[in-house]
Amino acid sequence: MGLLQEFKTFALKGNVVDMAVGVIIGGAFGKIVTSLVNDVIMPPLGMLIGKVNFTDLALNLGSEAEPVMWKYGAFLQQVFDFLIVALCIFFLIKGINRLSDLTKKKEAEEAAAAQPAPAPAPEPIAPVEPKEEIPYKPCAVSFYGTMVSVGFPTNETFKLAGLSEKQLAKSWKQLANEAYDITLSNVLAIRKNLALCDWGYVELLQAVSEKKYGKTNEAVFMQAYLLSQSGYKIRMATDDNRLYLLVATQHNMLGISYFILDNTKFYALNCDSKELSICKASFDQEKSLSLQLRQEQKLDTEMTAPRKLTSKYGVTAQVAVNKNMIDFFNDYPSAYIGNDIMTRWAVYANTPLDKSIKTTLYPTLKKSIEGLSERDAVNKILNFVQTAFVYEYDDKIWGSDRAFFAAETLHYPYADCEDRSILFSRLVRDILGLDVVLLYYPGHLATAVAFTQDVNGDYLTYKNRKYIICDPTYIGAPLGRTMPGMNNQEAQVIVL
C-alpha cells in the first residue's frame, strides 16, 4: 500500500504530468513539422536546385578495389534538414507568440478601458449624533500644513489592556461609547470640508491619532476604530507587542505587503512583518477604499518660490505650486487598477491640477496658442513639455522608479518619460479639451491625441478613433513622429 501511494504521489506531481503532456504534444507537433518539410517545402525546393540529393555525395578515400567512402553528403543532408526544420519552427513559434501578444494586448486595453469611476466615500455604519451635554477637549492637528481640530472626551483615559482578541474587543466596546461620537463627527466633517480622498482620510486619522496618543498601539487602534465606524473595510493584526492596521482597497498597492482574507487583499500599513496574527472581525456594509484621486484636496496653500519654465518655441511661464500638496503627493501610494499594472499611470494622469497652478500656468499657455489650429496648438504644448524640463532617470535621482503627479513635474527639477506624458496629457485635456491616451512601449511611455480636425502623422487606431502619436520625450519632434525603436503596433493603450 505504501509503494502504491508513493507511486501515485510521484505520477500525479504537476511537473510529471506537465512533462507527459509536453512529450505527447511535442510528438504530434514533430509530425506536423516533418510533414511540412517533406511534403510541402522540399518538393518545390528540390525542383529549384535541380533535384539534388545531398545523400548521394561521397568521397572515396580508398581505392576502387577497396573503397572507403566518406559520405559527407549524408551529413550535409542532415544539416540542411535541421536548418529547414529549425527555420519552420522559428516562424511557427513566432506566429504563435505574435498571436498571444495581440490577445494579451487586447485584454489589457479592454481592462484599461473599463476603469471604474471613483465610488463615493463610504458612509458611517450608524448615524453619528454627538450629544452637546458631553464635555470634550479639542485636539489641534497640523495636517499637511492645514490646521484642524478634533474633539475627544474631556476625561478620557483610553489605554489598551493588551493585544489579545478579547482585550481588543473590550477596548473597542469602550470606544463605542457615545462619548466618542464627537471625535467621529469631527473627522467626518473635516473629510467633507477638505474634500479628502479615501487615502487622505486614512492619513488624517493617523495624524489625529498620533497627535493624541503618540506613535503607540492606542493610536493605531483609534485610527482603525474611526475608519471602521466611517464605513471602511479594515482589520487589525498583531505581531509580538505591536498592533497594525490592515486596509482593503479597490486597487492593488505597490510596495506594501498584503494578506488575503476571504478573497480580499488587506494591505498592512507601516508594517514590515510577513507573519501577523489577524483579527477577522468585520462589519456589515463596510467598503474598500479607493486610491483614485479625481478632485482637488482643499488643503491650505503654501506656495513655493516661482519656477521659470521656458520652451524652445519661446513660451515662458512662471509656475509656483502648493508645497502642502507636494508633501501630500509624496506620501501617496502607487496603485494600479485590476490586474494591469500599467494603469498605475492613469491614476496619476487623471488627478487634476489644483486651482493655484491653473490660474498661473494655464493663462500663459492659452495665450501662446491663441488663434492656432488644433495641430499647431498641440505642437506648442508638446514642445513646451519636451524642452522646458530637464530629463533624468528616476533611478539616478530617487534610487528607484517613481512616477509624478502633474504638479510634481512642475515642481521638481527633473522629469522622465512617464512624468512628461502624465503632464502633457493633463494639459491637452484641460486646455484644448481633446481626448488623450497614454502609450506604453517596453521601457517607454508616450501619448497619443484624438483630434477633431484632420491631422497627418504616425498614428494608431483605438475603438475606431484615430490617435496621433505625441511623444513628450522625443525632444524636438513634432506630433505624428514616433521615437526610433518604438513600435506603435505593439504599444499598449492606457485609457484616461
Side-chain angles (χ1 to χ4, degrees):
M1 186 68 179
L3 182 62
L4 289 175
Q5 183 64 32
E6 186 177 352
F7 174 75
K8 179 181 177 182
T9 301
F10 166 78
L12 295 181
K13 279 185 176 178
N15 53 355
V16 174
V17 175
D18 291 344
M19 182 176 66
V21 172
V23 169
I24 294 171
I25 293 187
F29 183 73
K31 293 179 180 179
I32 294 174
V33 173
T34 300
S35 176
L36 177 66
V37 172
N38 294 337
D39 303 328
V40 178
I41 296 177
M42 292 306 296
L45 186 60
M47 293 183 63
L48 290 175
I49 61 176
K51 298 183 179 181
V52 173
N53 189 343
F54 290 117
T55 56
D56 296 335
L57 302 177
L59 182 64
N60 187 358
L61 301 179
S63 61
E64 291 186 4
E66 298 181 0
V68 178
M69 304 304 295
W70 183 37
K71 298 181 179 181
Y72 66 91
F75 173 74
L76 292 177
Q77 184 68 43
Q78 292 295 330
V79 171
F80 185 70
D81 288 349
F82 168 77
L83 292 176
I84 293 295
V85 171
L87 191 63
C88 290
I89 292 177
F90 169 76
F91 283 112
L92 186 60
I93 297 299
K94 184 178 177 66
I96 293 174
N97 288 340
R98 173 65 174 169
L99 182 62
S100 176
D101 289 343
L102 289 175
T103 301
K104 290 179 180 178
K105 178 184 174 185
K106 182 178 180 181
E107 291 175 350
E109 290 178 351
E110 289 175 350
Q115 295 177 22
E123 294 294 329
I125 61 175
V128 183
E129 298 178 357
K131 294 184 177 180
E132 295 182 1
E133 62 268 23
I134 298 179
Y136 69 90
K137 183 178 180 179
C139 177
V141 182
S142 177
F143 176 66
Y144 291 106
T146 305
M147 293 305 301
V148 298
S149 180
V150 178
F152 285 85
T154 300
N155 299 319
E156 183 203 31
T157 57
F158 175 63
K159 181 72 177 177
L160 291 174
L163 297 180
S164 69
E165 287 200 22
K166 185 176 181 179
Q167 290 169 321
L168 292 176
K170 184 177 180 180
S171 296
W172 195 275
K173 187 176 181 180
Q174 179 185 349
L175 292 185
N177 186 294
E178 60 184 12
Y180 286 92
D181 285 353
I182 185 65
T183 308
L184 179 58
S185 176
N186 285 172
V187 293
L188 287 170
I190 294 171
R191 181 181 72 173
K192 180 179 180 180
N193 293 336
L194 299 184
L196 293 180
C197 62
D198 287 351
W199 182 257
Y201 190 55
V202 171
E203 295 269 67
L204 170 70
L205 297 186
Q206 180 178 342
V208 169
S209 300
E210 290 183 353
K211 179 62 183 293
K212 180 65 177 177
Y213 305 103
K215 293 181 180 293
T216 62
N217 289 334
E218 285 75 17
V220 176
F221 192 88
M222 179 60 74
Q223 183 187 13
Y225 173 78
L226 293 173
L227 273 173
S228 174
Q229 298 304 296
S230 300
Y232 292 94
K233 182 181 289 187
I234 64 97
R235 300 290 183 268
M236 287 184 291
T238 59
D239 174 17
D240 296 329
N241 296 317
R242 292 288 305 277
L243 181 68
Y244 298 101
L245 170 64
L246 278 60
V247 298
T249 75
Q250 299 172 21
H251 310 96
N252 295 288
M253 300 170 70
L254 295 171
I256 300 179
S257 300
Y258 64 86
F259 299 83
I260 298 178
L261 305 173
D262 298 327
N263 298 319
T264 300
K265 289 182 180 179
F266 285 84
Y267 290 85
L269 304 185
N270 305 308
C271 176
D272 295 325
S273 179
K274 302 300 181 183
E275 295 185 6
L276 297 175
S277 176
I278 301 174
C279 177
K280 298 182 180 180
S282 62
F283 291 88
D284 294 336
Q285 299 180 341
E286 58 184 7
K287 295 183 179 180
S288 300
L289 64 88
S290 170
L291 288 170
Q292 295 195 64
L293 216 176
R294 295 292 185 91
Q295 63 181 4
E296 181 182 349
Q297 309 297 282
K298 297 179 180 179
L299 301 176
D300 284 352
T301 300
E302 181 184 347
M303 301 305 292
T304 62
R307 178 187 182 190
K308 185 178 181 180
L309 296 170
T310 302
S311 74
K312 289 189 176 180
Y313 276 6
V315 178
T316 299
Q318 295 284 345
V319 180
V321 300
N322 186 354
K323 181 182 180 300
N324 294 330
M325 282 305 304
I326 296 300
D327 293 339
F328 179 81
F329 289 142
N330 189 52
D331 294 333
Y332 209 88
S334 183
Y336 58 94
I337 302 167
N339 296 318
D340 185 6
I341 194 172
M342 303 308 169
T343 58
R344 69 189 182 99
W345 289 306
V347 176
Y348 291 93
N350 286 331
T351 299
L353 285 166
D354 59 70
K355 291 180 181 178
S356 62
I357 296 175
K358 291 181 178 179
T359 55
T360 55
L361 175 62
Y362 282 21
T364 300
L365 292 178
K366 287 180 179 179
K367 185 177 180 180
S368 72
I369 63 174
E370 190 175 356
L372 298 181
S373 64
E374 282 185 354
R375 176 185 179 280
D376 292 341
V378 170
N379 263 333
K380 199 98 170 190
I381 297 174
L382 179 63
N383 183 264
F384 176 77
V385 178
Q386 287 175 343
T387 61
F389 303 89
V390 179
Y391 183 90
E392 192 51 87
Y393 292 104
D394 283 342
D395 290 342
K396 183 175 179 180
I397 303 301
W398 301 101
S400 61
D401 180 55
R402 172 179 171 168
F404 281 165
F405 291 95
E408 292 182 291
T409 301
L410 295 170
H411 173 67
Y412 292 114
Y414 303 104
D416 64 4
C417 62
E418 57 191 16
D419 308 326
R420 293 161 181 260
S421 296
I422 290 167
L423 175 61
F424 176 76
S425 73
R426 187 75 267 166
L427 296 178
V428 170
R429 284 179 291 163
D430 287 351
I431 296 174
L432 296 172
L434 300 177
D435 288 337
V436 184
V437 295
L438 299 177
L439 299 179
Y440 175 72
Y441 308 91
H444 183 60
L445 194 71
T447 69
V449 177
F451 289 85
T452 63
Q453 303 171 356
D454 187 28
V455 175
N456 296 322
D458 297 345
Y459 71 94
L460 53 79
T461 302
Y462 178 73
K463 289 190 177 300
N464 299 319
R465 295 187 69 190
K466 180 179 178 182
Y467 287 82
I468 302 294
I469 306 300
C470 297
D471 195 332
T473 313
Y474 190 6
I475 309 301
L479 61 83
R481 294 278 297 277
T482 304
M483 182 179 286
M486 303 299 150
N487 187 342
N488 293 324
Q489 300 305 313
E490 298 177 355
Q492 178 180 329
V493 174
I494 302 172
V495 181
L496 302 178

